[in-house]
Amino acid sequence: MLVGLLMAMAMGSCSHKETAGVKAPVSVETEVVGSTNKATAQTYVGIVEEREATAVSFTSMGTVKRMLVSEGQHVSRGQLIAEIDDTQARSVLDGAEAQMAQANDALERYKLLHDNGSLPEVQWVEIQSKVAQAKAQLGVARKNLSDCRLLAPVSGVVGRKQLKAGETALPSQAVVTILDISSVKVKVAVPETEISAIGPSTSSQVFVEAVGKRVNGGRIEKGVQADALTHTYDIRINVDNADRQLLPGMVANVTFGAAAGEQPAEQLTLPVTSVQKRADGTLFVWTVGKDSTSHRTPVAIGPTQGNRIVVISGISNGQRIVTEGYQKLSEGTKVAF
């Protein structure tokens, strides 16, 4: 009887050791890679800007006599835009023309004396100098009169009139601004965490609700200095505007990462925190096998999208990855989710 009791105690002890040797599964949170976490195109709000703006001004001071254009009007290069009072300029020109005539008359009379050898060479040089001075003054007077007429230096659309008839124009003060909108630029502020995903040739689509127009964006110009407060970078998308429907100041919705009429690339995304780094710098995620065991799976990543990151390779649809609790895992650990 004693022997039987000892054998029973030994068997119970062995059974207890076997149970203690089985580790309980580690509790983790997981996510199944699939259609719910495919990358989507990024959409931002932008503002339409002119391709180029030219401020047009008089070179001298005067009272505006006529304004011949209105805001929004298309003007051609060389077209008359405005005039200032030219009374004084005409008077100066009349005086310069009189001096020129007088100098030429003196030149003809003294030339006869010079040719006959009865005029000292010094006086002849002096007469020629007076003629040259009169000619220069006449040229300046004609230029001043011409400058009373303001001509468009480029073709474009009048953006804003700064002066009206009767007001005084100052030298270099903008009278009108001429905008080149044959093509436009759409300015978008992009967060610093997302700017690296956008390059000069990144595909984009621009929709301007004001005119119901959707167009494909062209080449992208990236700013190199971030806003100190918002930590965003300005980028500008070149957009063709041959029909001139897109006007400066219009609000546009800009989508990156999808060409016109195409769906965004079916990249997969994961929570940023689920991607881990080894000591050698390689990246991996913890995946869960069919037997509920954890495995390190190397991955290659792309740009971030908010709190998620694009995974270029290493995982596929249907795989289960660990999103929380991975700190307690090692290769082959049993998990519960």
Side-chain angles (χ1 to χ4, degrees), residues 245-326:
Q245 286 187 337
L246 303 182
L247 300 177
M250 287 184 173
V251 177
N253 290 322
V254 180
T255 302
F256 292 107
E262 298 178 357
Q263 294 298 320
E266 289 193 356
Q267 294 173 314
L268 303 175
T269 67
L270 298 176
V272 173
T273 54
S274 67
V275 180
Q276 307 297 307
K277 181 182 289 188
R278 290 175 176 267
D280 60 3
T282 58
L283 303 177
F284 70 94
V285 296
W286 286 104
T287 58
V288 179
K290 294 181 179 180
D291 57 353
S292 297
T293 58
S294 60
H295 303 280
R296 288 188 183 90
T297 303
V299 293
I301 62 171
T304 58
Q305 297 182 355
N307 61 352
R308 301 184 71 84
I309 191 167
V310 173
V311 179
I312 299 174
S313 63
I315 59 172
S316 58
N317 283 342
Q319 279 190 280
R320 184 179 294 276
I321 61 103
V322 178
T323 57
E324 290 188 24
Y326 44 77

Side-chain angles (χ1 to χ4, degrees), residues 6-264:
L6 292 174
M7 291 180 62
M9 291 176 62
M11 292 177 63
S13 175
C14 292
S15 177
H16 176 71
K17 288 181 180 179
E18 288 178 1
T19 303
V22 178
K23 294 183 179 180
V26 175
S27 179
V28 296
E29 292 188 17
T30 64
E31 178 180 296
V32 176
V33 178
S35 60
T36 58
N37 48 25
K38 288 180 180 178
T40 57
Q42 294 295 291
T43 303
Y44 304 84
V45 176
I47 298 294
V48 177
E49 294 182 340
E50 66 278 359
R51 178 175 177 268
E52 191 172 286
T54 303
V56 186
S57 60
F58 289 103
T59 58
S60 58
M61 185 175 69
T63 302
V64 178
K65 184 168 63 175
R66 291 195 302 166
M67 284 294 298
L68 303 173
V69 296
S70 56
E71 294 183 358
Q73 177 182 341
H74 183 271
V75 295
S76 301
R77 182 178 181 179
Q79 182 176 334
L80 181 62
I81 294 176
E83 291 180 314
I84 58 175
D85 185 19
D86 59 0
T87 303
Q88 183 177 357
R90 287 189 179 279
S91 297
V92 173
L93 177 60
D94 290 342
E97 288 176 341
Q99 289 183 356
M100 186 76 251
Q102 184 180 13
N104 284 333
D105 180 66
L107 180 65
E108 291 178 4
R109 287 187 286 108
Y110 279 98
K111 186 176 184 303
L112 294 175
L113 297 176
H114 178 266
D115 292 344
N116 293 333
S118 57
L119 182 69
E121 190 65 27
V122 174
Q123 292 185 359
W124 175 242
V125 173
E126 184 180 349
I127 291 300
Q128 288 181 315
S129 297
K130 288 183 179 180
V131 171
Q133 290 175 1
K135 185 176 181 180
Q137 291 175 356
L138 179 61
V140 171
R142 286 174 175 169
K143 178 65 167 56
N144 290 338
L145 179 62
S146 175
D147 287 344
C148 292
R149 292 164 51 88
L150 187 61
L151 306 179
V154 294
S155 298
V157 175
V158 177
R160 179 174 298 178
K161 293 198 309 181
Q162 306 288 355
L163 293 176
K164 300 178 182 178
E167 296 181 336
T168 300
L170 299 175
S172 301
Q173 177 188 9
V175 177
V176 297
T177 302
I178 299 178
L179 309 178
D180 181 358
I181 58 171
S182 56
S183 64
V184 294
K185 297 180 181 181
V186 179
K187 184 178 76 170
V188 178
V190 178
E192 61 181 10
T193 57
E194 300 170 12
I195 190 67
S196 61
I198 300 175
S201 302
T202 299
S203 60
S204 62
Q205 191 176 83
V206 178
F207 175 68
V208 181
E209 187 175 2
V211 293
K213 186 174 182 179
R214 188 182 300 275
V215 295
N216 292 331
R219 186 169 181 80
I220 294 175
E221 303 170 8
K222 293 175 63 174
V224 295
Q225 188 170 2
D227 184 281
L229 296 177
T230 62
H231 296 282
T232 59
Y233 289 83
D234 285 342
I235 69 169
R236 287 173 170 82
I237 308 163
N238 288 277
V239 177
D240 181 66
N241 190 35
D243 57 7
R244 293 178 171 78
Q245 286 187 337
L246 303 182
L247 300 177
M250 287 184 173
V251 177
N253 290 322
V254 180
T255 302
F256 292 107
E262 298 178 357
Q263 294 298 320

